[in-house]
């Protein structure tokens, strides 16, 4: 086994953890070569009551979740294997097996020559753990959460057992892993459904500051009944940014359409806005995701928090005005950028998730469509950490207060975009999933190792690695 210092194990330190605010230095980094070494390491760590945390892509910007200063980081950097298994096979699908070290761009480029595609992450540099928080795909209105497309996990439990978890082998654990984060073990392989792939329309575009109101209206039209989000082939990954020092907004999105159609009608309100940079066109899937490379600089401090707001005529204005207004009030002297990625979640997305067998997230399509309002800040000076946290707290509280007053509050948090002190798993199934998830944890981890010794969003609370 390799037990290395932090810098020996991750020579490119900035690549190891995406947000510099989230970076803490563990006592050592263990870099296993195979699943048997992961199993042996867990047995040793449990026997010595040592804290540990797995790290795959390191993208979650929550301090002490993907790293820990109290114990051992288990870096899955060597788990790069990728293999296609075609029908007939015991799992009943064509599927891709991939170790957790991948970034999504690697997956799509690997699949390009095969004519297959997985319903996985949208940003090129994000890693595999997206699947454990649910995960959004450009194909979510067709196939549900990215997690709904995992058909088997290779999982190492707290006892050091290696389990192959599927609907047929361990159905309770299989359900809980779909949204369950790192609460049940360390995943060392994902088996994901493959779908036929053709050319598609898409790319990243950025609009000028004077187009901000046009962008907000375009997204409003997209999420309202009869809008583009009601076409299951259409998807966007939108965001707005605002610099509170210069008072300058900017907006942009990844546009996507699951067919080789140039400027499809579902996206017409966006394609009508003259772009400042970037482009969207008919191309293959990996070319579309490659346009997100600008989302991946690992040299800044990042903060992610989220809430959810029902889709309405007021939704985008409420989020934009609150985010920018409080930035003017609180951050006018801070060198930073604030903003929101306001991700539509459609009724058909939630129907597809249930049709695929369901998951611990368990949201009701009958509650209607909504948007995940990811509130983000990036900055460089650690001395500004406290004011940034105060700002995000006030933004979230204000958005939720206004949403409740308008009957627009949606009582759920997206784990992949959650921040320190948020408690996303308690909102799964609007609170109903938590007892079942705890029962699964007790069954497979009776000593509660992954509840006490492993940092992260736990089953009803949070454990920090610092």
């Amino acid at each position: 086994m390799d037990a290395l210092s932090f810098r020996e194990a991750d020579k490119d330190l900035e690549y190891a953890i995406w947000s510099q605010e989230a970076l803490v230095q563990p006592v050592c980094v263990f870099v296993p070569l195979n699943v048997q070494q992961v199993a042996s390491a867990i047995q040793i760590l449990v026997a010595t009551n040592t804290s540990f945390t797995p790290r795959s892509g390191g993208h979650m910007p929550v301090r002490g979740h993907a790293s820990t200063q109290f114990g051992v980081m288990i870096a899955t950097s060597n788990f790069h294997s990728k293999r296609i298994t075609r029908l007939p096979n015991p799992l009943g699908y064509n599927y891709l097996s991939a170790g957790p070290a991948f970034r999504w761009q690697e997956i799509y480029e690997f699949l390009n020559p095969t004519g297959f595609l997985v319903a996985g992450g949208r940003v090129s540099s994000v890693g595999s753990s997206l699947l454990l928080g649910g995960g959004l795909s450009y194909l979510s209105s067709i196939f549900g959460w990215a997690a709904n497309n995992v058909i088997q996990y290779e999982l190492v439990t707290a006892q050091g057992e290696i389990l192959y978890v599927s609907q047929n082998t361990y159905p309770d654990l299989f359900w809980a892993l779909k949204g369950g984060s790192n609460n049940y073990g360390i995943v060392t392989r994902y088996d994901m459904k493959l779908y036929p792939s053709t050319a598609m329309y898409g790319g990243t575009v950025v609009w000028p500051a004077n187009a901000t109101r046009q962008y907000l209206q375009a997204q409003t039209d997209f999420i309202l009944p009869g809008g583009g989000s009601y076409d299951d082939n259409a998807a966007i990954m939108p965001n707005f940014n605002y610099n509170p020092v210069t008072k300058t907004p900017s907006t942009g999105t990844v546009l996507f359409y699951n067919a080789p159609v140039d400027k499809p009608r579902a996206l017409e309100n966006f394609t009508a806005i003259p772009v400042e940079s970037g482009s969207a066109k008919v191309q293959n899937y990996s070319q579309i995701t490659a346009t997100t490379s600008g989302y991946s600089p690992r040299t800044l401090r990042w903060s992610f928090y989220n809430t959810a707001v029902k889709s309405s005529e007021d939704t985008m204005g409420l989020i934009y005005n609150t985010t920018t207004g409080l930035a003017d009030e609180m951050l006018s002297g801070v060198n930073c950028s604030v903003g929101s990625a306001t991700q539509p979640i459609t009724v058909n997305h939630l129907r597809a998730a249930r049709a695929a067998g369901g998951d611990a997230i368990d949201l009701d399509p009958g509650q209607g469509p909504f948007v995940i309002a990811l509130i983000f800040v990036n900055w460089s000076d650690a001395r500004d950490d406290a004011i940034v946290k105060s700002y995000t707290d006030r933004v979230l509280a204000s958005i939720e207060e206004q949403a409740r007053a308008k009957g627009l509050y949606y009582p759920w948090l997206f784990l992949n975009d959650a921040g320190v002190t948020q408690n996303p798993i308690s909102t799964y199934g609007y609170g109903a999933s938590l007892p079942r998830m705890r029962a699964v944890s007790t069954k497979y981890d009776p000593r509660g190792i992954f509840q006490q010794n492993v940092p992260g969003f736990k089953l009803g609370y949070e454990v920090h690695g610092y």
Side-chain angles (χ1 to χ4, degrees), residues 221-464:
D221 294 340
F222 185 79
I223 64 177
L224 290 177
S229 66
Y230 285 74
D231 182 337
D232 291 344
N233 286 313
I236 57 174
M237 189 176 73
N239 70 86
F240 64 79
N241 292 266
Y242 182 72
N243 185 318
V245 175
T246 64
K247 314 299 184 190
T248 305
S250 65
T251 56
T253 191
V254 179
L255 299 171
F256 178 83
Y257 196 78
N258 185 33
V261 178
D262 188 54
K263 295 184 178 179
R265 183 177 179 183
L267 301 172
E268 62 184 359
N269 289 337
F270 296 105
T271 58
I273 307 173
V275 301
E276 184 174 71
S277 63
S279 66
K281 59 186 177 182
V282 174
Q283 51 192 327
N284 67 43
Y285 198 86
S286 70
Q287 290 172 315
I288 294 171
T289 55
T291 68
T292 67
S293 60
Y295 289 77
S296 61
R298 295 183 176 230
T299 56
L300 296 171
R301 307 174 78 79
W302 285 86
S303 167
F304 276 16
Y305 287 83
N306 77 95
T307 187
V309 182
K310 294 178 182 178
S311 299
S312 77
E313 185 74 46
D314 295 333
T315 299
M316 290 304 301
L318 187 160
I319 296 167
Y320 180 83
N321 292 334
T322 304
T323 303
T324 57
L326 284 172
D328 283 339
E329 178 183 332
M330 300 181 68
L331 301 177
S332 60
V334 178
N335 183 20
C336 68
S337 176
V338 308
S340 178
T342 44
Q343 177 59 49
I345 303 297
T346 67
V347 168
N348 282 351
H349 170 156
L350 304 181
R351 286 174 176 159
R354 289 194 167 180
D359 47 69
I361 297 167
D362 193 27
L363 300 182
D364 180 8
Q367 296 294 318
F370 63 94
V371 301
I372 300 168
L374 161 59
I375 306 302
F376 62 82
V377 186
N378 63 67
W379 71 106
S380 56
D381 192 336
R383 292 173 296 183
D384 293 324
D385 289 0
I387 187 63
V388 167
K389 179 66 169 66
S390 295
Y391 164 76
T392 53
D393 286 348
R394 280 194 61 188
V395 169
L396 289 170
S398 181
I399 289 174
E400 291 179 0
E401 180 183 10
Q402 294 175 73
R404 284 189 171 94
K406 293 175 178 288
L408 299 177
Y409 178 66
Y410 194 93
W412 176 75
L413 296 173
F414 185 33
L415 187 146
N416 289 146
D417 291 341
V420 174
T421 71
Q422 294 200 296
N423 189 2
I425 291 176
S426 293
T427 69
Y428 286 8
Y430 316 108
S433 293
L434 186 58
R436 183 177 170 188
M437 296 179 77
R438 285 175 170 162
V440 174
S441 173
T442 300
K443 178 178 177 180
Y444 293 96
D445 181 10
R447 293 176 58 187
I449 298 300
F450 280 87
Q451 295 306 295
Q452 301 169 36
N453 288 13
V454 179
F457 292 117
K458 304 289 96 179
L459 302 180
Y461 54 96
E462 186 178 4
V463 172
H464 299 283

Side-chain angles (χ1 to χ4, degrees), residues 102-135:
F102 68 79
R103 280 16 180 224
W104 285 103
Q105 191 64 25
E106 299 171 38
I107 295 294
Y108 302 133
E109 291 178 359
F110 174 80
L111 291 175
N112 260 347
T114 70
F116 285 122
L117 181 65
V118 293
R122 301 171 299 167
V123 176
S124 60
S125 64
V126 169
S128 62
S129 292
L130 168 141
L131 294 164
L132 294 175

Side-chain angles (χ1 to χ4, degrees), residues 90-101:
L91 293 181
Y93 299 91
N94 294 315
Y95 66 90
L96 170 72
S97 298

Side-chain angles (χ1 to χ4, degrees), residues 61-104:
V62 181
R63 185 174 177 84
H65 279 207
S67 61
T68 175
Q69 68 184 34
F70 297 136
V72 177
M73 174 195 286
I74 300 178
T76 59
S77 307
N78 290 319
F79 287 71
H80 276 290
S81 65
K82 302 176 189 69
R83 184 184 72 250
I84 289 175
T85 301
R86 297 175 184 266
L87 288 167
N89 64 67
L91 293 181
Y93 299 91
N94 294 315
Y95 66 90
L96 170 72
S97 298
F102 68 79
R103 280 16 180 224
W104 285 103

